[in-house]
Amino acid sequence: MLSFNQTINNHQTFTLTGIPGMPEQDFWLALSLCLLYSFTVLGIVTILAVIKVEQHLHEPMYYFLAMLVATDLSLPLSSVPTTISAHWLSWCSVTLDVCVTEIVFIHTFGGVESGVLVAMVFDRFMAIHFPLRYATVLTHGVIGRIGAAVLLWSVGIVLPAPLLIKRLPFCHSNTLSHAYCLHQDAMRLACADTRVNSIYGLLEVIFVIVVDALLLLASSFLIFQVVLGIASWEETLKALNTCLSHICAVRLFYVPLFGMTVIHCFGKHLSPVVHTVIASTYLPLPPLLSPIVYSVRTKQTHQWIVQVFHGGRVGS
């Protein structure tokens, strides 16, 4: 029994994975990720600055946009410490507590982003279907409560998963598949029955991702139904244009998530390098593209950025 306990205690740390068989390429991947993170922060800070400075953007649609880009900033930053440490500094060992903390942040912010996307589609539904009641229903207080509810819901759903991980003994291989910690990745390394973890992980996916996806589909269907019922073709195009940025944002979130899942389940024959690159860009790439989408598709944001780079006065 003593020997077994000592074996367990020796595996309370995890080994992060760089580029298998190509350690000399880790520096370049880390440098690319740093540039990716830098551009992401620049784009997100720009969007937040636009919303704060421009008084006429202080309305529900842009408050939800601020929540989305703030989450976009938090999600990749959750994995930055371990990712950069593994690829750049070759510090590939993390303790169980650090790994569990990273799991909490990554999964929580992923759930928050999914919930905010649902809130943004609901905002567009209210604006198009009930334009006269829109401003009175979505007040600042209601928006704040929606944001708080999304955060609390995500934390409440995610928190039991890492607590379940902490109760597991780890006495075999302790090498993770990526340069950051995920619940399912850490769970597979346990040397005990993980059925409870697997079932809860599945319920977490259903309650956060699947339910939100169904709500997004239902809301989008209702929006298109209302839009297509508008008599004027010009008004129809205008209404669809206001939803296009949100559709792109939804795709930016769900397409990489679906792709990561497919590669993880059916891409075992692919080179480990492919898995590493996809895993490393899965979190930071969508937040990088999201500000670009809103900068191009949102007229006010585009005009503000043009004014700044041409030396014009903001808000003029």
Side-chain angles (χ1 to χ4, degrees):
M1 179 62 72
L2 179 60
S3 175
F4 180 73
N5 286 336
Q6 288 175 339
T7 305
I8 292 177
N9 290 333
N10 289 335
H11 288 82
Q12 289 299 300
T13 60
F14 294 100
T15 302
L16 305 171
T17 301
I19 301 180
M22 302 174 65
E24 69 280 358
Q25 300 299 324
D26 273 327
F27 170 79
W28 298 109
L29 180 57
L31 182 61
S32 301
L33 289 174
C34 284
L35 292 174
L36 202 62
Y37 290 136
S38 300
F39 283 118
T40 299
V41 172
L42 177 62
I44 288 174
V45 169
T46 301
I47 295 290
L48 292 174
V50 171
I51 296 173
K52 179 176 176 59
V53 171
E54 296 288 346
Q55 293 294 324
H56 62 281
L57 297 184
H58 293 181
E59 55 185 61
M61 172 182 171
Y62 294 100
Y63 287 136
F64 285 123
L65 174 57
M67 292 182 194
L68 179 67
V69 296
T71 308
D72 277 338
L73 178 61
S74 304
L75 184 56
L77 290 180
S78 301
S79 64
V80 164
T82 55
T83 302
I84 298 302
S85 296
H87 290 302
W88 197 328
L89 304 176
S90 297
W91 294 348
C92 296
S93 181
V94 294
T95 64
L96 177 61
D97 288 336
V98 171
C99 193
V100 166
T101 302
E102 193 169 54
I103 289 172
V104 170
F105 280 104
I106 290 176
H107 287 268
T108 297
F109 285 125
V112 169
E113 180 157 1
S114 181
V116 172
L117 287 171
V118 174
M120 293 178 76
V121 173
F122 171 73
D123 166 75
R124 290 298 84 203
F125 172 75
M126 291 296 298
I128 293 172
H129 196 61
F130 303 105
L132 299 180
R133 298 172 53 191
Y134 174 64
T136 58
V137 172
L138 287 177
T139 61
H140 290 180
V142 171
I143 294 170
R145 285 193 288 273
I146 290 175
V150 169
L151 178 60
L152 291 175
W153 170 255
S154 183
V155 171
I157 291 293
V158 168
L159 198 56
L163 295 179
L164 290 172
I165 284 287
K166 291 224 26 158
R167 74 179 179 86
L168 295 175
F170 296 92
C171 51
H172 298 309
S173 171
N174 63 339
T175 302
L176 297 170
S177 302
H178 313 305
Y180 52 85
C181 299
L182 295 175
H183 172 250
Q184 62 271 26
D185 201 18
M187 178 184 66
R188 70 179 178 82
L189 301 177
C191 55
D193 188 356
T194 60
R195 281 180 294 182
V196 174
N197 296 70
S198 298
I199 292 172
Y200 191 82
L202 177 61
L203 292 176
E204 181 184 333
V205 170
I206 291 174
F207 282 115
V208 175
I209 302 300
V210 176
V211 170
D212 285 352
L214 292 175
L215 289 174
L216 283 168
L217 287 173
S219 300
S220 300
F221 175 77
L222 293 174
I223 288 173
F224 283 117
Q225 193 175 40
V226 172
V227 167
L228 294 177
I230 299 175
S232 170
W233 180 245
E234 182 179 347
E235 290 296 322
T236 299
L237 291 178
K238 183 179 178 181
L240 287 174
N241 188 58
T242 62
C243 300
L244 191 57
S245 297
H246 305 297
I247 295 173
C248 293
V250 170
R251 292 181 65 181
L252 285 175
F253 178 76
Y254 281 99
V255 170
L257 178 63
F258 179 75
M260 179 77 168
T261 304
V262 170
I263 290 293
H264 183 75
C265 294
F266 305 106
K268 300 188 185 300
H269 63 285
L270 297 175
S271 167
V273 177
V274 175
H275 287 270
T276 301
V277 172
I278 291 176
S280 298
T281 57
Y282 157 65
L283 292 177
L285 191 58
L288 172 67
L289 297 177
S290 186
I292 297 174
V293 168
Y294 280 101
S295 297
V296 173
R297 297 301 313 171
T298 306
K299 182 180 178 182
Q300 294 90 337
T301 307
H302 180 73
Q303 289 177 342
W304 192 91
I305 294 173
V306 169
Q307 286 176 359
V308 169
F309 281 95
H310 284 78
R313 184 173 64 87
V314 177
S316 60

